Amino acid sequence: MPALRLGSTAPDFVAETTHGLIRFHEWIDQSWAVLFSHPDDFTPVCTTELGDVAVRAEQFAARGVKVIVSALYGMLDEQDLSNTDSTGMPYTVRDVFVIDPNKVIRLKISYPASTGRNFDEILRAIDSLQLGDAYPIVTPANWNPGQKVIVHAKLGNEEAKKHFQVYDTKKPYLRYTDDPRKSIKASLWDKICALFSKSYAADKDNA
């Protein structure tokens, strides 16, 4: 199997799941997907992770993300079994993959067996990836949705002005602007208020 690197196509596979037999790419369809694994049933750290994912089901669904989890023992090859931690746990068991609708691996995080996955961070990264796909921006350190983003370096100043009404230039290569979705919401609200004002004025004139 080829290495699972960022930018590579996630392998397709057939698996028996709690929801029946699936083919991975067909199951993803046009959604995003999070794929992660655990070593076996009734393992303590993974139990807390599965519970947290269940609690966050609506958060993933709101982002158009499907989550699938695999128990990997019995499926590991010699390469996996030769790369283990001090307890004998294969490192590959603790990987997390975020896969986009084109079946491309966009994020990969590897956790040691002793450390539970941080789903706040995984959701934050998905928000960043989806926003960057929709607009020519990147996100700074510790960014969270709604906070300022960075204008993509590929845009010259004139082109940036076409995309963003206002941006703050800290350095020629570092230009901050508002979260585009926040600006769109504000713009829509302004239009709604303007329409309401016109309607109110017309009603007043006709009174």
Side-chain angles (χ1 to χ4, degrees), residues 25-169:
H25 284 190
E26 290 179 1
W27 175 81
I28 294 175
D29 195 23
Q30 296 303 306
S31 300
W32 287 68
V34 171
L35 167 65
F36 70 96
S37 58
H38 60 103
D40 209 344
D41 295 333
F42 311 116
T43 50
V45 174
C46 296
T47 296
T48 65
E49 294 170 338
L50 294 172
D52 193 55
V53 168
V55 169
R56 296 173 184 269
E58 291 185 0
Q59 296 178 46
F60 283 105
R63 293 165 170 81
V65 179
K66 297 178 179 179
V67 182
I68 188 167
V69 187
S70 175
L72 289 185
Y73 271 143
M75 299 172 59
L76 302 175
D77 60 23
E78 291 181 4
Q79 181 177 351
D80 294 311
L81 296 174
S82 66
N83 184 24
T84 62
D85 64 18
S86 60
T87 68
M89 175 78 72
Y91 286 115
T92 48
V93 170
R94 302 288 298 153
D95 285 344
V96 181
F97 298 95
V98 173
I99 301 162
D100 71 16
N102 294 318
K103 318 306 182 286
V104 174
I105 297 172
R106 301 292 297 278
L107 177 73
K108 177 183 177 182
I109 306 176
S110 297
Y111 286 88
S114 60
T115 304
R117 296 167 171 106
N118 185 335
F119 288 99
D120 284 328
E121 169 59 13
I122 291 168
L123 286 167
R124 187 192 78 92
I126 291 170
D127 287 334
S128 173
L129 290 168
Q130 292 182 342
L131 189 62
D133 282 359
Y135 302 96
I137 61 90
V138 293
T139 55
N142 303 317
W143 173 86
N144 280 294
Q147 296 178 344
K148 288 187 178 295
V149 298
I150 298 172
V151 177
H152 201 292
K154 70 181 180 182
L155 295 185
N157 289 335
E158 291 303 315
E159 192 173 0
K161 290 176 183 177
K162 297 177 183 178
H163 289 275
F164 310 104
Q165 294 180 350
V166 178
Y167 60 85
D168 180 19
T169 302

